Amino acid sequence: MYIIDRRLNPGGKSLANRQRFLRRAKAQIQRAVRQTAGDRDITDLERGGEVTIPADGVREPSFRRSGEGGVNDHILPGNKRFIEGDTVDRPPRGGGGSSAGGDSGEGEDDFRFALTRDEFLDLFLDDLELPDLAKRRVATVETQGMRRAGYTVTGSPVNLALLRSMRNALSRRIAMRRPKPEELLRLQEEIERLEKHEGPSEQLTALHQELEQLKVRTKRFPYIDPLDLRYRRFEPVSRPVAQAVMFCLMDVSGSMTEHMKDLAKRFYMLLYIFLTRRYKHVEIVFIRHTHEAKEVDEETFFNSPETGGTVVSSALREMQRIVEERYSPDSWNIYAAQASDGDNSPNDGSTSASLLRNVILPVCQYYAYLEVGSDSDRMQTGFINHKTSLWQTYETLQEQGANLAMRKVNHRREIYPVFRELFRRRDAEAGARVP
Amino acid sequence: MSVMERDHLLFQGADWDFGTIQRIHDAVEAIGVGELGLDVYPNQIEVITAEQMLDAYASIGMPLFYKHWSFGKRFALHESSYRQGLMGLAYEIVINSNPCISYIMEENSATMQTLVIAHAAFGHNHFFKNNYLFRDWTDADGILDYLEFAKGYITRCEERYGHAAVERVLDAAHALMSHGVHRYPRKKRPDLRSEERREKERHLHLEQTFNDLWRTVPTKGAAAKPQLSDERRRALLELPQENLLYFLEKSAPRLQPWQREILRIVRQIAQYFYPQRQTKVMNEGCATYCHYRIMTRLHETGQISDGSFLEFLQSHTNVTRQPEYDDPHYGGINPYALGFGMMQDIERICIKPTAEDREWFPEIAGSGDAMAVLRDVWANYRDESFISQYLSPHLMRQWRMFYLVDDPDQPELRIEAIHDERGYRRLRRSLSRHYDVGWSDPDIQVIDVDLAGDRRLILHHHVLNRTLLHKDDAQRVLQMVANLWGYAVVLKEVEPSTGAIFQEHVAHPHETLF
C-alpha cells in the first residue's frame, strides 16, 4: 500500500478548463458582469464575485427522452394506505406530490457561479480604452533604445563577448597546430629521464631540438590573440512610446454635497481601476480645487475633506502648469477628466472658457466633463432643462467643435453606463475618420 | 476504559498522521481480506485538499483528463455551491485502476478516514476487480496511461488545428457519449495500453503508403460501379449500428484522421464508464456493506473507541437513509440504501432464513456462508439482474414499496402493485427494469446510408412507451451529428411494433464547421 500526500501539489488543475469555459460563455458573462456592476459598491467591484448567466449558452445537449407524453411508471417506497387498483389524483404540474420526475438532472434554469477579482475586472473593462491613444504613437513619440546586433571586432572591454572570443582562440590554436602544454611536458619528462639514466646521446640532442622548436612555436602563436577578440555590438533603435497622462480634476468646494462628492469619487475610482489595470505607462495626476487648486496624492484626493468657493480656472491653471513642467505635449498623450457640480463663480466663466479653448484642449487628446447632480435633481427640473453655468460654458465650446465630452449623472447607478460611454472603444469611428 | 484496551486502539481523537493511516489500512486489510475474503487491487491512498477534490470533481473524478470547457463549467458550478455551503464534498473518490487509487480528504477525522478506507479502498476496490462488467469492459491496468495519452493527444491537436476546431469535435463527441458504447461484450479484452501505439501505427502507415503519383493516375468514368444490394451495403457498414460514435469514427466520409482519433478517445472513455452506470446500486451496496462489516468488527475487537463508532454510525445512517415518497426530501431511490439493504437481506437469508425465503431463494437460503454468496453476487450481476434476482419480499414489505403508473390517457394515476403476494413479482420486475440502462437510454440506431448516392444518414429512435425525445436537445445533437457526418442526417422516431413514425428531425451540416 502506498500513501501519497498530494496536498502540496499545485491546485488549480481546472484553470485551463475554466478559461475555456469563460471564453465560451464570454458574451453572456460580460452582460451579466455589467448588470451586476451596476448594483455594486465600488469597493465590491475590486472583489469579483457571483454572476448568473442563462444556462442556454452553455448547454450540453444529449439524446434524452422528454419528460412528457407516454406512460411513466415509478416504484416508490413508503406505502401507507394504498392497495392494488387504487387510483390517485394526478398531482398538479410542478407541484411536490409524489414528484417522481425529480431526477430530471441538471435544471434548465440559470447557471450561477463565482468569478475571481481579475476575471471580473477583465470582463468588466474589456472593451474600454483611452480614445486616440494611437494617434501620437504613430506620429512622433519615440525614444531611443539599444538593441543587440551581432558582434564586432572593436569595442569597449565591458562588451567583450567572452565565449565567442575563446571559441575563436581555440579554433585558431587548432588550425595553427600550437603545441599543447601536455606535449611539452611529456617531452621534458622524456629528456629528464634520458639525462638521468643514459647520459648524452643522439636521441637526447634530437629531443632537445624538438623541444626548442615547439617552444618557439608556442611563443609565436599565443594562447589568445587580439585577433580573436569579439565584442557585442549594439545599435540604436527608436521605439514608439505610448505614454499617457490622465489629469483628474475634482471640485471639492462647499457647493458639492456629500452625494455629489460620492458620485465624483466613484467615477474617479472607476477611472483609476480602469487605467491602472489596462495601461502600463499611464500616469495619473490628481488635482482638486476650491477657489484654489492643488495637486494631491491619491489618498488625499479620495479621502480628505475640504471646502471653499469655486474657481474652475484655478484647476485648469494648475493643470497647465503641470503640463508645462512635466508632460510635454510632444511626447505625451494627455487626457483629462473633470467632475464638478457645475457651479462656478460668475466672473470665472470666460476665463475658464478661454483657458480651455486656447491652452488645455489643444494639448489634450480627450477631455471628459462629468457633471454630478443631486439625487432629486431630475424631479425638480421637470421640463425646464436647467443648465449650470459650467455646462453652458462647455456646451458653447463643444458647439465650436472642441474635442470635449460631457455627461451628467444624478444617481449612483448611472455612473457605470456613463463611464462606459465616455471610454468605450471607438474602433468604428476611428476607421471612418481616416480617409 | 482500561489501559489494555487503550493500547489496542488504532487512534484516539480526530487527528491522524501517515502512521495512523498505515495502521488503519493494515487493520482494515486484516479484516477485509482475512475475514471477509475480499480480493483487491493493491491500494494507493492519496491525501488531497478540498480544492483538489473540486478539481477532481470537475474531471469526473479522474486524476488527469483532457481539457474541455464543460469541465470548467462543472468546476464553476461545484465551486460556487461549495463556497456558499450549499454542498458538502464527498469524503473520497475512488478510481477503477490498478493500483486502485483512493483520494481521501485532509479534513476527514481519523474515524472518517477509517470509514473511507474500508468503503473505497476495500469495498469499491473488490467490486472493480471482480465484477464481470468491469472485467469485460474496462482495463484497470491501462486507464491512467490511456488518459495521459488522450490528454497529450488533444493538447497536440489544439496546438495544431486550433482550440475552436478541437472544441467543436469534442462538443459533438460529448453529446453522443451516451450513444458511444458497445453494449455487448467483444471477444477481446480491452487493452488501453496498446491504444497509443496503435494510433502511431495508423499514422505511420498513412505516411508510408502515401504516394503522390496516385493523384495523377487518370480515372475511368464513374459508370463502372457495380450496384450493391441494400442488404450487402448495410452489411459492409455493419448496419444497423447503435454505437453512433463508433459508426461516425469508422464511416464518416469527411473527417480528418485526428478528428476520428478524438471520437475514438471519447468513445473509449465512455466505454470505460459504462459499467459504473449499470452497477450503481451494487457498487455502493457492496462498498457500504463492506465498510459496515469492517467498522463493526473493528469496534468489536476494540480497535476503535465507542465514540468513534458512534461517529461512524451517524454518518453511515445519513448515507443509507431512504426518505419515503411523501417526504419533502424524497429524491428517488437512494442507491446506497437499496444496495446496503439488499446485501444485508442476503446475509439474513443465508443465516436465518424464513419459510418464505426458502421458497423464494432455495439455492442460498440457509447456506450459512453469507460472504461466499455475496462475493458471487458481486462478481456476476449488474443492478438490473441483481434486483430481479435478489430483491426479497421481506425487503419489499420493509420498504413498503408500491408501483405507480402514470398513463396520460387515463384521468388518474393508478397503483398497479403493492407489497403483497400478488405484487411482489411485478414490483421486482419493474424496479429492475428501471436500472436497465438499455431501457432507460433512448434506443437510437444508424439504419441506413447510401454512400454512393446522396449520403443521407438515417437514424431511428425506437420509441418506448410513446415517450419521444426532448425536441430541442435532439435537434442540437442531430446538428452535431450532421457536422461530423458532413451530409444531411435524418432522425425518425419510430414505434417499433407498428413502424409508425411519430416525428422526423432533419439536420444539414454547416459547411464552415470542418
Side-chain angles (χ1 to χ4, degrees), chain A residues 29 38 63 82 96 124 166 212 317 338 388 390 410 433:
Chain A
I29 297 177
F63 283 132
F82 302 128
F124 180 68
M166 293 314 285
E212 251 352 273
R317 278 219 183 79
Q338 183 187 8
T388 61
L390 210 55
N410 288 319
R433 232 182 289 141

Side-chain angles (χ1 to χ4, degrees), chain A residues 278-312:
Chain A
R278 288 298 298 272
Y279 296 96
K280 245 186 222 147
H281 303 296
V282 172
E283 295 196 13
I284 306 175
V285 177
F286 297 103
I287 298 173
R288 33 188 263 156
H289 72 94
T290 52
H291 55 280
E292 55 185 21
K294 221 190 303 167
E295 185 188 355
V296 293
D297 61 6
E298 191 186 322
E299 181 64 25
T300 330
F301 185 76
F302 285 118
N303 296 323
S304 88
E306 197 165 333
T307 46
T310 318
V311 181
V312 171

Side-chain angles (χ1 to χ4, degrees), chain B residues 41-154:
Chain B
Y41 291 124
N43 273 309
Q44 177 167 325
I45 292 173
E46 308 198 352
V47 183
I48 59 173
T49 60
E51 197 88 4
Q52 288 165 325
M53 186 58 111
L54 281 168
D55 276 344
Y57 264 38
S59 53
I60 341 181
M62 302 311 278
L64 71 176
F65 222 81
Y66 57 81
K67 308 256 174 278
H68 187 248
W69 63 269
S70 62
F71 306 135
K73 171 186 161 187
R74 218 158 296 155
F75 182 80
L77 188 70
H78 288 141
E79 193 193 22
S80 78
S81 54
Y82 173 68
R83 298 233 184 278
Q84 287 176 351
L86 296 179
M87 177 184 89
L89 290 178
Y91 299 118
E92 42 69 34
I93 285 183
V94 56
I95 292 164
N96 168 26
S97 62
N98 181 15
C100 177
I101 300 176
S102 318
Y103 291 117
I104 60 180
M105 286 248 280
E106 64 171 346
E107 278 100 279
N108 297 348
S109 67
T111 311
M112 288 312 296
Q113 301 295 29
T114 319
L115 168 61
V116 159
I117 288 172
H119 181 89
F122 287 88
H124 283 304
N125 191 347
H126 172 85
F127 196 81
F128 288 146
K129 190 172 176 192
N130 293 282
N131 186 266
Y132 80 103
L133 281 175
F134 288 90
R135 294 168 70 95
D136 284 351
W137 284 120
T138 66
D139 175 18
D141 296 320
I143 181 66
L144 292 182
D145 289 342
Y146 185 67
L147 288 176
E148 173 91 60
F149 155 73
K151 186 179 173 194
Y153 190 86
I154 285 176

Side-chain angles (χ1 to χ4, degrees), chain A residues 3-4 13 36 43 61 87 99 107 116 139 144 146 154 187 211 215 231-232 246 263 268 282 312 339 387 412 417:
Chain A
I3 307 174
I4 298 177
K13 262 205 286 189
T36 337
T43 40
T87 52
S99 84
T116 65
Q144 296 286 308
M146 297 302 261
T154 55
L187 218 61
L211 184 67
K215 275 188 177 157
Y231 298 88
R232 292 189 291 269
M246 170 67 80
L263 285 180
Y268 283 121
V282 172
V312 171
K387 284 176 185 157
R412 227 169 92 175

